[in-house]
Amino acid sequence: MKNNPQNRYRIWIFIVYPDSAPQNWEDIITDIGAEWGHSPLHDKDEDEYGGAKKPHYHCLIKFKSLKSYRQMLSLTGQLHAPNPKSCENVVGKVRYWLHLDNPEKYQYKKEDIKAFCGFDVKEVLKPSKTQQTAMMREIRKYIRDNNILELKQFMDFADKECPQWGYVINRFQFQIRDYINSSRYSSNYRQNKHYQDLALVLKFIRNNAITDMEDVYAFLDEEKPQLAYLMVDYYQEIKDCLTSVQRRTASYKDVPPEPRPLVQQQLPKALTSFRDPIALEEYYEMIDSEPIY
């Protein structure tokens, strides 16, 4: 953008080369009292031919009142910096400091941005409302797809794998927590996921007459490692099933039937119901008097 010396702006940008700027160049700008900040040192940029660019800082300053191009030249002149430019898009410029929208370029770290006199980098880099809505959809999908049941579990993942969610998580932490809680206590969720998983393990125990907890652990380790959480959340239910199988197995063991008395075995079925001792005695005498051939 070509700057008209007559035009005045509140926000300006310029570049500082550390090898030519005064050693106290940051103090020179800070003494003005306006909000400002600068990028990480861009020492890994390449030109269109693949050669290394001269290390430099991108700077942005926000005045409370309008400043002319000539007024800005008095500042950049002290820094031995190239001519300044007015800025219409603060967010776009600060995002460029990190190459957030240029994945083909080296990605600088947000932590290396330096801010002075109240310049709020986090506020500048916060996602737009549209981006926040999209991120919340991503977060809910991740929670559903990965059966997240604890906020800590989710936060640990986000810190390590999705730091770009940071602003949304900090702003909507209570909503995210409530969503995780609703997933944990939802009857549909429990029936469709945990109860089905538990039913699978209990079926394995019953069908295979498993009586030892070690066999259950071995089954999960070898066949269903994704169900290992059941041994924590549903240990008592699994233990009760093992106990039930143990009792059933013990009742099915081959136990020799107790022999009936010889007299009872010899009685015809018609007489087994007799309770008259006289009738039984007459029957025994008849048997005894018959010859044996």
Side-chain angles (χ1 to χ4, degrees):
M1 177 187 296
K2 186 175 181 180
N3 290 285
N4 188 327
Q6 303 302 321
N7 293 337
R8 300 164 70 86
Y9 305 92
R10 286 185 55 248
I11 305 174
W12 292 83
I13 56 174
F14 52 93
I15 292 177
V16 171
Y17 293 100
D19 63 345
S20 58
Q23 187 174 1
N24 65 335
W25 68 273
E26 291 180 336
D27 295 333
I28 293 175
I29 304 174
T30 302
D31 288 344
I32 296 175
E35 295 180 24
W36 80 283
H38 68 70
S39 69
L41 179 63
H42 279 215
D43 56 356
K44 295 179 175 61
D45 290 358
E46 297 179 350
D47 58 27
E48 57 184 331
Y49 303 106
K53 286 186 177 181
K54 188 177 180 180
H56 58 279
Y57 293 100
H58 291 272
C59 302
L60 183 147
I61 188 168
K62 298 172 63 177
F63 294 99
K64 293 182 179 179
S65 59
L66 299 175
K67 302 297 179 182
S68 68
Y69 179 70
R70 293 186 183 279
Q71 287 176 302
M72 281 300 301
L73 282 178
S74 65
L75 171 61
T76 56
Q78 297 180 62
L79 307 176
H80 306 152
N83 294 344
K85 297 179 181 180
S86 60
C87 176
E88 297 180 354
N89 185 354
V90 174
V91 174
K93 292 302 180 183
V94 175
R95 288 180 65 84
Y96 181 77
W97 291 359
L98 306 176
H99 292 161
L100 293 178
D101 303 312
N102 302 94
E104 74 282 0
K105 295 184 177 182
Y106 183 82
Q107 301 294 294
Y108 294 100
K109 296 181 180 179
K110 182 173 65 175
E111 294 76 15
D112 293 333
I113 292 177
K114 295 187 69 175
F116 305 84
C117 303
F119 184 67
D120 192 343
V121 177
K122 291 183 178 179
E123 182 66 20
V124 172
L125 289 177
K126 73 178 183 181
S128 65
K129 291 184 177 179
T130 301
Q131 291 172 325
Q132 292 178 36
T133 300
M135 287 183 183
M136 282 299 291
R137 288 198 186 100
E138 292 177 6
I139 288 172
R140 289 193 295 270
K141 184 177 186 302
Y142 173 79
I143 292 172
R144 287 194 304 270
D145 293 348
N146 294 275
N147 303 323
I148 300 300
L149 301 178
E150 298 294 339
L151 182 61
K152 179 183 182 301
Q153 182 184 5
F154 168 74
M155 297 287 275
D156 289 346
F157 168 82
D159 289 344
K160 183 177 180 180
E161 302 295 339
C162 295
Q164 69 273 18
W165 290 348
Y167 179 86
V168 173
I169 292 175
N170 290 336
R171 182 175 181 185
F172 300 106
Q173 181 174 344
F174 292 112
Q175 290 90 327
I176 294 172
R177 181 197 62 188
D178 290 343
Y179 186 77
I180 292 175
N181 288 343
S182 68
S183 296
R184 185 191 303 121
Y185 296 116
S186 168
S187 60
N188 289 336
Y189 173 80
R190 289 170 65 89
Q191 291 174 1
N192 293 337
K193 181 57 185 172
H194 284 196
Y195 283 0
Q196 289 181 6
D197 291 348
L198 180 60
L200 177 65
V201 174
L202 299 185
K203 182 178 180 181
F204 164 77
I205 293 173
R206 297 190 186 100
N207 291 352
N208 295 275
I210 301 299
T211 59
D212 194 328
M213 187 68 78
E214 291 185 4
D215 293 334
V216 180
Y217 279 110
F219 167 71
L220 293 176
D221 291 342
E222 297 173 7
E223 303 293 338
K224 300 289 182 180
Q226 70 275 19
L227 304 185
Y229 73 92
L230 294 173
M231 300 305 293
V232 176
D233 297 343
Y234 297 95
Y235 181 86
Q236 190 60 48
E237 287 85 345
I238 294 173
K239 183 178 179 182
D240 291 343
C241 183
L242 288 173
T243 301
S244 175
V245 173
Q246 289 170 355
R247 291 173 179 170
R248 185 181 64 184
T249 303
S251 67
Y252 288 164
K253 287 183 178 180
D254 293 330
V255 178
E258 184 177 349
R260 293 182 297 174
L262 178 60
V263 171
Q264 186 177 1
Q265 293 184 29
Q266 295 173 342
L267 290 177
K269 292 184 179 179
L271 295 177
T272 54
S273 61
F274 284 2
R275 293 294 181 268
D276 186 350
I278 298 176
L280 288 175
E281 184 177 354
E282 292 177 350
Y283 176 78
Y284 296 148
E285 290 178 354
M286 180 187 68
I287 294 270
D288 293 339
S289 64
E290 292 180 356
I292 300 177
Y293 298 99

